Amino acid sequence: KIFGESGSQIVIEEFLTGPEVSVLSFTDGKTVVPMVSSMDHKRALDGDMGPNTGGMGTVAPNPYYTPEIARECMETIFLPTIHAMQKEGRPFQGCLYFGLMLTPKGPKVIEYNCRFGDPETQVVLPLLKTDLVEIMQAIWEEKLDQLEIQWKDESAACVVMASGGYPKKYTTGLPISGLDENGQIEGCFVYHAGTKLEDGKILTSGGRVLGVTATADSLRNALKTAYAGVEKITFQNAHYRKDIGQRALKALPEL
Ligand code: GLY
């Protein structure tokens, strides 16, 4: 009963296995344009152990999401979803999030969200070449089919630094050291998720505190830079996964 009355009903679902892929997409209700794929790491601890969290880190692109799988997803999931919403008289415009699992029986939808993902966005948007405002305008004007959306030929990695104990009980208000006066680290972009500024000091204020993100010519190099950034930042009981991107690296050819 930790969730009160919502715990009175139990839903039993099929247990699906396989690599997870997050595909955020732009849609104006008629056209759907998938963004660069990404991979979230939902469990709190290394080796995909421990409780589920909002996401402990991400990489993009997701090497399990091959062009062939992308084509299959477009035909069997993305377009049917957009067309079904149109048919119901509820066309959706904006960012549609497809949370997929690549099972032995093919790609399956785990969840839909009508929003960007966190921490997927942290690795997807830095790879976007086209101006996001131009894309938003095309969505608004229902002209997405007339826009060529371009992506950088790079990889991105984000390592989430969380408060010790997250996603269960954790302490906040702890000073964070290692960040510069803009709350950043050289070579990375640090997203502030659970921080606050008090008397000129940056303090923790949530479960997932920082998303330390880097882009590079390869996933290996993006991970190296993001982890080098993480090493420079400290706060009491800081917790982060040491294996972000390891599963993705296994799917890539050895260089
Ligand atoms: N990272 C999972 C989500 O944004 O729902």
Side-chain angles (χ1 to χ4, degrees):
K1 290 286 178 190
I2 58 166
F3 298 116
E5 257 316 289
S6 10
S8 304
Q9 196 178 15
I10 296 170
V11 177
I12 299 175
E13 295 180 322
E14 184 186 355
F15 184 77
L16 301 174
T17 56
E20 284 187 52
V21 184
S22 303
V23 182
L24 317 183
S25 70
F26 296 113
T27 177
D28 60 4
K30 295 182 294 192
T31 302
V32 58
V33 183
M35 302 183 211
V36 161
S37 61
S38 56
M39 183 192 279
D40 194 4
H41 297 68
K42 294 226 169 64
R43 300 285 182 155
L45 308 175
D46 286 2
D48 291 327
M49 306 295 277
N52 252 333
T53 69
M56 294 298 294
T58 36
V59 296
N62 184 329
Y64 289 95
Y65 192 70
T66 60
E68 197 186 0
I69 293 176
R71 266 193 300 278
E72 186 180 350
C73 289
M74 180 57 96
E75 277 165 31
T76 63
I77 298 172
F78 306 159
L79 285 172
T81 301
I82 299 299
H83 294 155
M85 284 191 289
Q86 246 179 4
K87 216 168 139 191
E88 283 186 7
R90 302 169 194 276
F92 177 76
Q93 294 185 314
C95 174
L96 192 58
Y97 169 130
F98 298 91
L100 308 173
M101 189 168 263
L102 307 181
T103 77
K105 289 188 202 155
K108 306 272 181 192
V109 178
I110 301 288
E111 60 174 339
Y112 289 107
N113 291 307
C114 47
R115 57 164 172 80
F116 281 91
D118 174 12
E120 285 91 337
T121 313
Q122 287 87 320
V123 288
V124 169
L125 287 191
L127 300 179
L128 180 64
K129 261 204 233 168
T130 308
D131 187 341
L132 184 60
V133 175
E134 246 183 79
I135 301 172
M136 288 173 166
Q137 188 149 1
I139 289 172
W140 176 248
E141 292 170 356
E142 296 181 22
K143 287 182 182 162
L144 203 51
D145 60 336
Q146 291 170 34
L147 192 67
E148 201 206 325
I149 298 178
Q150 293 191 324
W151 299 91
K152 293 179 196 165
D153 189 17
E154 289 179 12
S155 293
C158 170
V159 180
V160 170
M161 296 186 76
S163 299
Y166 170 80
K168 294 184 181 147
K169 263 197 170 162
Y170 53 84
T171 312
T172 56
L174 302 168
I176 303 171
S177 54
L179 297 169
D180 66 19
E181 66 276 16
N182 298 315
Q184 294 297 314
I185 283 281
E186 209 189 318
C188 294
F189 190 86
V190 183
Y191 292 88
H192 287 236
T195 67
K196 63 178 175 185
L197 195 61
E198 220 172 75
D199 299 328
K201 286 199 182 108
I202 302 174
L203 308 178
T204 65
S205 70
R208 287 185 295 166
V209 178
L210 301 167
V212 184
T213 306
T215 57
D217 55 350
S218 69
L219 176 59
R220 214 172 281 280
N221 287 339
L223 286 164
K224 219 167 156 180
T225 309
Y227 273 109
V230 166
E231 292 300 324
K232 291 183 192 146
I233 304 168
T234 48
F235 53 89
Q236 202 186 325
N237 295 333
H239 166 68
Y240 61 90
R241 277 182 59 164
K242 317 280 185 303
D243 65 344
I244 300 301
Q246 290 309 308
R247 188 168 189 189
L249 285 176
K250 282 195 191 120
L252 289 170
E254 282 293 327
L255 294 178

